[in-house]
Amino acid sequence: MILVLNSGSSSLKFQLFALHSLQSLASGMIEQIGEESSHARLQFIDSEGKSQKITKNLPIPEHKAAITAMSALLKQSKLLVHLDELAGIGHRVVHGGESFQQPVLIDKKVMAGIKSLIPLAPLHNSANLAGIEVAMDQARNTAQVAVFDTAFHQTIPAHSYIYALPFELYKREKVRRYGFHGTSHSYVGNEAARFLGRPFASLKIITLHLGNGASAAAIKHGSCQDTSMGMTPLEGLVMGTRSGDLDPAILFYLARETGMSLDDLDELLNKKSGLKGICGDNDMRTITERIKDGDKQAELALDIFCYRLKKYIGSYLAVLGGADCIVFTGGIGEHSAPVRQKSCEGLEDLGISLDPEKNESHSGEARAIHMQQSKIQILVIPTDEELEIAAQTRNLISSAPTP
Ligand code: ADP
């Protein structure tokens, strides 16, 4: 079996997969780590094929206790007695900087590398590392793999990743665009190729990952050419609570005119902007409901979200010199017909024609939603980052030389 761990600053998501079929055996989450009452839950299919849930409320002060609680849940469900029974553990790591261009087997040197990248992603990489340290300690005989969110974007050329800033800031401080959600862009890109029955290496694909965080990627012949997130996950599309692209001089203006501190500005752009900043809600379902009730502010938020998305689709058509397909994924990409409709509207002359009926249909499966005459195929493909991490972990441990 392969266990995938996604350690956040106050949560631990985990999923257990069968080694060969990569069938999901169980998944769970520990929430509110570090708070007085934490919440641990596991969902799995029992031997009679029924879905079973175990839920516990208990204090979980840090990641060590979270991984112990997860092990206890897996043991209670009779899936696993000890973590050392696993064939491998795959860890999601948000920032791999320029050092990690693909998944790697974790050893002390890799852990030091992840630690050295903490300044680039303080909240994420430190939590990811905390999870790795505990898992390495509790499963000493299990191969463990780090899969980086940034790795898929490491093929982006310099003219796209270098900011127009003094070049020494790149050399000295590593200030450059890295991009995120790479595991998802890579997964849905490959799935799109499979859906179309063509090699990934022969296609030009625009992937749109639209969840609470949102990013677009331009993929040519299997390699990423550009992506909308930058040095941090703040750049690019409008998101739930993040502004995405804006004139950086707004920050100087606000600091001078209102006395806002660096921390205030950080919170403003990351937590109080995006859809939430415009209309007070960051959940696309709520926004859609409000629009149905005639709410103009919610409609403005949707319009701004879709307009930015459309601009990125247009710019990535230019980057790739046309495209074979556009893929919508993430909670919004998979479920919001209005977002797909508005962001593709008026692009018929560029070869993009959405079929309104197919766009309205609901399904958890990969599907095509374009008109027959559409030059560019438009697909909805559910993402599965945990499955991709499990697959990459399995590939790496099966190709690694045995000691
Ligand atoms: P995360 O980035 O946290 O993984 P998700 O990919 O789950 O987030 O996406 C969350 C977003 O998806 C939210 O804005 C939510 O409103 C939106 N979403 C989920 N289901 C629907 C739906 N049926 N219609 C519209 N939006 C939806």
Side-chain angles (χ1 to χ4, degrees):
M1 287 178 284
I2 291 190
L3 179 68
V4 172
L5 295 182
N6 184 352
S7 314
S9 52
S10 61
S11 66
L12 171 74
K13 264 168 94 176
F14 57 93
Q15 192 162 354
L16 191 64
F17 293 88
L19 177 63
H20 296 293
S21 63
L22 289 184
Q23 186 198 339
S24 175
L25 302 172
S27 62
M29 180 130 174
I30 317 261
E31 287 168 301
Q32 283 137 7
I33 299 173
E35 290 176 27
E36 252 167 48
S37 170
S38 315
H39 194 70
R41 63 170 192 265
L42 171 79
Q43 182 159 10
F44 66 104
I45 308 286
D46 69 15
S47 53
E48 281 151 25
K50 287 196 199 116
S51 174
Q52 285 256 3
K53 278 185 190 165
I54 307 177
T55 306
K56 279 188 178 162
N57 281 318
L58 63 177
I60 300 177
E62 23 61 356
H63 282 85
K64 187 167 180 194
I67 290 188
T68 305
M70 173 196 74
S71 304
L73 288 175
L74 292 171
K75 199 169 170 180
Q76 190 183 337
S77 65
K78 303 201 169 50
L79 286 159
L80 197 66
V81 176
H82 193 276
L83 292 183
D84 260 335
E85 287 166 42
L86 293 161
I89 300 179
H91 294 266
R92 177 188 181 215
V93 180
V94 166
H95 218 306
E98 289 186 323
S99 329
F100 298 108
Q101 314 214 341
Q102 52 222 345
V104 285
L105 272 174
I106 301 175
D107 57 17
K108 287 222 160 70
K109 206 166 143 216
V110 168
M111 285 162 77
I114 295 170
K115 191 170 183 186
S116 74
L117 294 165
I118 287 177
L120 288 175
L123 288 180
H124 289 111
N125 268 38
S126 49
N128 302 155
L129 187 62
I132 290 174
E133 281 168 351
V134 180
M136 290 290 279
D137 189 48
Q138 295 196 6
R140 293 180 186 208
N141 300 316
T142 301
Q144 306 204 25
V145 172
V147 179
F148 300 89
D149 265 21
T150 47
F152 181 63
H153 303 305
Q154 279 293 303
T155 49
I156 290 175
H159 58 247
S160 162
Y161 72 70
I162 299 287
Y163 289 111
L165 290 167
F167 197 66
E168 63 265 23
L169 286 180
Y170 164 59
K171 289 296 217 197
R172 209 178 52 228
E173 308 290 343
K174 297 284 172 224
V175 172
R176 54 159 283 181
R177 304 180 64 248
Y178 292 96
F180 299 86
H181 292 145
T183 308
S184 176
H185 288 293
S186 154
Y187 176 78
V188 297
N190 275 290
E191 286 298 297
R194 213 149 63 136
F195 184 86
L196 299 174
R198 293 176 56 186
F200 189 35
S202 72
L203 293 168
K204 296 186 206 172
I205 309 176
I206 297 173
T207 47
L208 307 169
H209 176 108
L210 312 175
N212 282 313
S215 68
I219 306 169
K220 189 174 189 174
H221 304 157
S223 101
C224 190
Q225 300 300 304
D226 204 349
T227 191
S228 58
M229 283 180 167
M231 166 141 164
T232 75
L234 182 55
E235 191 178 339
L237 301 174
V238 175
M239 306 177 218
T241 62
R242 289 175 239 164
S243 63
D245 298 336
L246 86 174
D247 179 349
I250 293 170
L251 304 181
F252 320 142
Y253 174 84
L254 287 176
R256 287 192 196 111
E257 294 297 315
T258 70
M260 287 176 88
S261 67
L262 280 179
D263 284 346
D264 294 338
L265 291 169
D266 190 327
E267 194 181 344
L268 177 79
L269 263 51
N270 277 300
K271 305 253 171 72
K272 296 181 175 170
S273 297
L275 295 169
K276 191 179 179 73
I278 304 163
C279 75
D281 273 308
N282 58 303
D283 192 304
M284 192 54 87
R285 280 167 291 206
T286 318
I287 292 172
T288 313
E289 286 306 311
R290 281 175 57 184
I291 295 172
K292 280 190 198 142
D293 294 338
D295 186 322
K296 291 289 167 210
Q297 202 62 24
E299 195 172 340
L300 179 64
L302 179 73
D303 285 348
I304 296 171
F305 184 94
C306 295
Y307 178 70
R308 181 86 53 88
L309 190 54
K310 186 187 286 192
K311 285 214 289 192
Y312 268 92
I313 294 173
S315 69
Y316 285 176
L317 284 175
V319 165
L320 296 173
D324 296 290
C325 75
I326 295 176
V327 181
F328 284 90
T329 194
I332 298 174
E334 289 164 35
H335 302 293
S336 175
V339 165
R340 295 189 300 251
Q341 185 260 324
K342 269 182 185 282
S343 55
C344 291
E345 193 170 67
L347 300 183
E348 291 77 11
D349 284 354
L350 295 175
I352 297 171
S353 300
L354 196 74
D355 182 320
E357 240 173 71
K358 289 182 187 160
N359 185 39
E360 289 292 340
S361 70
H362 292 279
S363 145
E365 303 287 312
R367 60 197 189 276
I369 53 166
H370 51 272
M371 307 277 271
Q372 210 179 357
Q373 75 271 20
S374 186
K375 211 167 135 259
I376 298 175
Q377 313 209 36
I378 311 171
L379 309 179
V380 177
I381 299 192
T383 193
D384 195 337
E385 286 157 289
E386 281 74 23
L387 176 61
E388 178 73 7
I389 293 173
Q392 295 198 12
T393 301
R394 186 187 62 180
N395 293 350
L396 197 64
I397 57 179
S398 58
S399 63
T402 41

